[in-house]
Each structure stands twice: as structure tokens, then as C-alpha cells.
Amino acid sequence: GAVVSQHPSWVICKSGTSVKIECRSLDFQATTMFWYRQFPKQSLMLMATSNEGSKATYEQGVEKDKFLINHASLTLSTLTVTSAHPEDSSFYICSASPLRADGETQYFGPGTRLLVL
Amino acid sequence: GNSVTQMEGPVTLSEEAFLTINCTYTATGYPSLFWYVQYPGEGLQLLLKATKADDKGSNKGFEATYRKETTSFHLEKGSVQVSDSAVYFCALTGSGSARQLTFGSGTQLTVLP
């Protein structure tokens, strides 16, 4: 089946540093990748939608200069949390939509837990 | 905008009990409806989906019927197993090219032997 990986699976960093999270589709090409944020005991909130080779589309209230998204190839998207602060601590999840899917199919990565001290 | 309201958990059942997790939605147009499952330490997996009114999605003994008149998509299983313990998310995609998912808050299910 379609597999999406995320790296790292967890990261602890100091306030003010930047953290990069990678999302890879391992056995398929993805036209579109999505980035979500999940708070404890809450649902997934869509942060942004990225299409290969173009700028990401951010949801209302998500700072694009804070959360930099790069979708450089059909198998890789990265999310960089710049100048991280404790309130950025969360569980970040990506998903990927295959190139020739029905437009609704998304395969999810296992998530990256970020803790900012 | 679109929204999904899901039964709050946690839900704890004994093995072989009947499961219902309620889900209602608000959406414009004709959304597709989904149930995703998240097992401990894993990413979300699609459990089942329905793309139009009166469709029934089913998988692994789970079922849900797209009820437009009640804007609901309740998840059911006749006899749960310990291995069904997970978090279940109801979701929908609206119309439009982006097909973005809107999720409910998730329901933690624990099945005891």
C-alpha cells in the first residue's frame, strides 16, 4: 500500500531555533501534500496545502513566514518551523495525495512531535 | 464553512459489544464523508468512505451510511475486538479542486478483553 514517512518522529529544540520536518511519499508520486497540526485530544487542523513546484496555500490564521513549506519534488515536502517558541509545540502530521488518485485519497504520515523548550 | 461534530469519548467497551460512534456534519454542496482510524503510534488510515447520499461505506466489519436528511454518518460495528482499540475520526471533503479534509475531534475507543 501507499506509505508516507515523516522525519524526525520527534524533536526537542530550544526556543528561537528553527526545525525542519520532512514528509516523503515512499512508493508513489504526490501532486498535493497537506500539513496538519494536532493538539492533545483535539482534531487535526489543516495548516496548508502544497502542490509540487508552486507556493503553498495557507489556511486562515497560519503564518506563512513562521511555517515555511517547500514541495520541491513529487515525493518530498518539508515544513520548517522558524524561530520556534513553546506555543509551537504540537504534533505535526502530513498527508499526500497520489498523482492519479480520485482527488480525495490522502495517505497520512505517522506524525512528528515537536517540543520547544 | 464546513464542520464535523463527533461523539465525544473516550468510549470503553467489552469485546463483542456493539459500537456506535455518532457523527454529524455541516457542509455546502455535496461532500464526501470518511471515517479514519489512528492506531497507537501510527498515522491515520482510511477506514471507509461514502461519496453520495444513501451510500454505505464498509470495511473490516465497520459500516457507515451517508444520511443527507439528517446530515449524519454514524460509524457502527456489530462486534468489536480488542484490536479495534484506536482513535476514530469522522471527516468530510467539500467541493472544489483542493478537496481538503475537515476532521471531527476524534473518539478514543478502548475495547477490553
Side-chain angles (χ1 to χ4, degrees), chain A residues 49-91:
Chain A
T49 302
S50 75
N51 292 293
E52 184 265 339
S54 61
K55 290 184 178 179
T57 302
Y58 290 81
E59 294 300 298
Q60 192 171 9
V62 178
E63 300 175 58
K64 62 180 180 181
D65 294 330
K66 171 81 171 172
F67 299 99
L68 300 179
I69 292 172
N70 186 309
H71 193 160
S73 76
L74 286 171
T75 59
L76 173 64
S77 176
T78 60
L79 167 68
T80 301
V81 183
T82 62
S83 186
H85 288 93
E87 58 265 29
D88 299 324
S89 299
S90 192
F91 194 52

Side-chain angles (χ1 to χ4, degrees), chain A residues 32 34 36 38 41-46 49 57 59 91 93 95 102-111, chain B residues 31-32 34 36 38 41-46 49 51 89 93-94 97-106:
Chain A
T32 305
F34 302 87
Y36 297 85
Q38 186 180 25
K41 300 189 185 301
Q42 294 187 31
S43 187
L44 282 74
M45 301 300 296
L46 180 66
T49 302
T57 302
E59 294 300 298
F91 194 52
I93 300 172
S95 71
D102 56 9
E104 295 182 330
T105 302
Q106 292 185 31
Y107 297 100
F108 286 80
Chain B
S32 293
F34 305 80
Y36 280 84
Q38 186 177 29
E42 299 183 18
L44 273 74
Q45 302 172 25
L46 178 63
K49 72 176 187 180
T51 57
F89 292 92
T93 53
S97 58
R99 309 300 278 175
Q100 296 164 348
L101 282 165
T102 300
F103 285 90
S105 57

Side-chain angles (χ1 to χ4, degrees), chain B residues 1-83:
Chain B
N2 297 337
S3 67
V4 177
T5 302
Q6 194 174 331
M7 172 180 170
E8 285 191 26
V11 174
T12 302
L13 296 173
S14 297
E15 204 164 25
E16 298 184 1
F18 184 85
L19 169 71
T20 300
I21 301 178
N22 290 337
C23 172
T24 57
Y25 67 90
T26 302
T28 55
Y30 302 95
S32 293
L33 304 175
F34 305 80
W35 277 99
Y36 280 84
V37 58
Q38 186 177 29
Y39 297 105
E42 299 183 18
L44 273 74
Q45 302 172 25
L46 178 63
L47 180 60
L48 53 85
K49 72 176 187 180
T51 57
K52 61 183 188 295
D54 300 325
D55 267 3
K56 177 186 283 188
S58 62
N59 185 25
K60 299 181 181 179
F62 291 89
E63 293 183 341
T65 301
Y66 190 144
R67 301 285 188 199
K68 191 167 177 60
E69 64 275 14
T70 54
T71 61
S72 65
F73 193 54
H74 304 322
L75 182 68
E76 296 181 336
K77 186 173 185 181
S79 176
V80 293
Q81 305 301 312
V82 173
S83 57

